Amino acid sequence: MVINVYSLSIIFSVFFLLLVIELVRKNKLQERYSLLWILMSIILLVLSSTPVIIETVSRWLDIKNPPSLLFLFGLGYLILYNLGTTVTVSRQSERITRLTQELALLRQKITDSDS
């Protein structure tokens, strides 16, 4: 059996898909976040199992080594996903700050009314 980059990519995609499903099953990953990871795993699995697609797109983009397109696709996805996650974290940070300020004001009101 010859192990090439496509075979490794298929193995990785299947392993990653099973890992995401297991994390959701154990409630360590919310379903809404897992959907994008599952979609990414399936897309990588399809692309890895049909090298004709990769080779055709590589020719269109003038990429000399077709398997490099898999890594380029994965890198692009990770950059976009990271940006989305950063936006979510920023929004949550602002909400936490606002809630903390409101809690401090409520505590001050309670202390002032007790005095």
Side-chain angles (χ1 to χ4, degrees):
M1 179 171 111
V2 176
I3 294 186
N4 57 20
V5 75
Y6 295 113
S7 301
L8 288 174
S9 185
I10 289 171
I11 292 168
F12 173 77
S13 298
V14 169
F15 174 76
F16 191 74
L17 182 61
L18 294 174
L19 177 67
V20 170
I21 291 170
E22 184 65 17
L23 288 172
V24 171
R25 194 180 70 75
K26 289 184 175 183
N27 290 325
K28 296 193 182 251
L29 181 64
Q30 292 179 358
E31 290 86 3
R32 65 180 176 171
Y33 296 117
S34 69
L35 291 177
L36 288 173
W37 288 115
I38 290 172
L39 180 66
M40 176 63 175
S41 296
I42 291 172
I43 289 172
L44 267 179
L45 186 60
V46 168
L47 290 176
S48 299
S49 59
T50 54
V52 174
I53 296 172
I54 295 292
E55 291 167 4
T56 303
V57 174
S58 294
R59 266 186 266 122
W60 290 343
L61 297 175
D62 197 30
I63 297 175
K64 305 299 180 211
N65 186 11
S68 298
L69 184 63
L70 286 173
F71 297 108
L72 180 63
F73 177 72
L75 180 65
Y77 174 80
L78 289 176
I79 288 172
L80 290 175
Y81 191 82
N82 195 13
L83 179 63
T85 304
T86 303
V87 168
T88 302
V89 167
S90 297
R91 195 175 325 127
Q92 294 296 333
S93 178
E94 289 175 14
R95 292 170 105 188
I96 289 170
T97 301
R98 194 174 319 118
L99 282 171
T100 304
Q101 291 169 345
E102 289 177 12
L103 180 63
L105 290 172
L106 287 172
R107 281 186 180 166
Q108 184 179 14
K109 235 183 213 182
I110 291 171
T111 341
D112 289 347
S113 66
D114 286 344
S115 315

